[in-house]
Each structure stands twice: as structure tokens, then as C-alpha cells.
Amino acid sequence: MNKLNGFEITKRDRVLRGWQVSTGLVREYQEYAREIENEDKELSKTFAQLSENEAHHSALLLEILKKEENK
């Protein structure tokens, strides 16, 4: 795929990194929702929804990663 500084970055590498970033966002959005729950319930709900949406992205990337691992 891409060669950067002499290293080949494969599609598996991209999917793995995307999954790692996505799972991190799930945790961050959950934490944001909890932190501001008493201050701003509407914004807290928004962060909770963002966490759910990102969890779907994370699950999709994990499925793709599993398929790549089984090749």
C-alpha cells in the first residue's frame, strides 16, 4: 500500500488503527457524558448518543479486522 520511512502500511494496519481510535472515542464520549450529566443533561445525552454511534463503527471495523485475520 503506502511506504512511509521504509515501512509498508497495509490495509490491515489501517483497519486496526481505525478500530483502536474508534474504541478510544467510545470511552471518551462515555466519560464526557458522565462528567457533565449534572451540569447539562442535553449535552450529556448527545455525548451518550455519540458513544453509541461510535460503538457501531468500532464493531464494524472489528468485523473487518477479524475477516482480514482469517485470510
Side-chain angles (χ1 to χ4, degrees):
M1 248 186 179
N2 287 327
K3 288 200 175 194
L4 181 64
N5 296 324
F7 294 96
E8 185 175 352
I9 300 171
T10 66
K11 66 180 181 178
R12 181 204 175 270
D13 296 330
R14 298 274 189 218
V15 173
L16 176 60
R17 183 67 183 133
W19 175 72
Q20 291 170 329
V21 169
S22 185
T23 56
L25 285 172
V26 170
R27 288 188 300 271
E28 283 188 43
Y29 290 150
Q30 287 173 339
E31 184 62 27
Y32 297 163
R34 280 191 296 270
E35 285 177 357
I36 63 172
E37 188 173 20
N38 294 328
E39 290 177 50
D40 189 332
K41 293 213 181 287
E42 192 63 35
L43 185 54
S44 177
K45 287 180 185 179
T46 299
F47 277 121
Q49 184 61 52
L50 287 170
S51 177
E52 275 188 48
N53 293 346
E54 197 60 44
H56 291 292
H57 300 155
S58 180
L60 175 62
L61 288 167
L62 182 58
E63 285 302 313
I64 294 168
L65 188 59
K66 286 179 180 178
K67 286 178 186 174
E68 286 297 312
E69 291 294 314
N70 291 327
K71 284 185 178 180

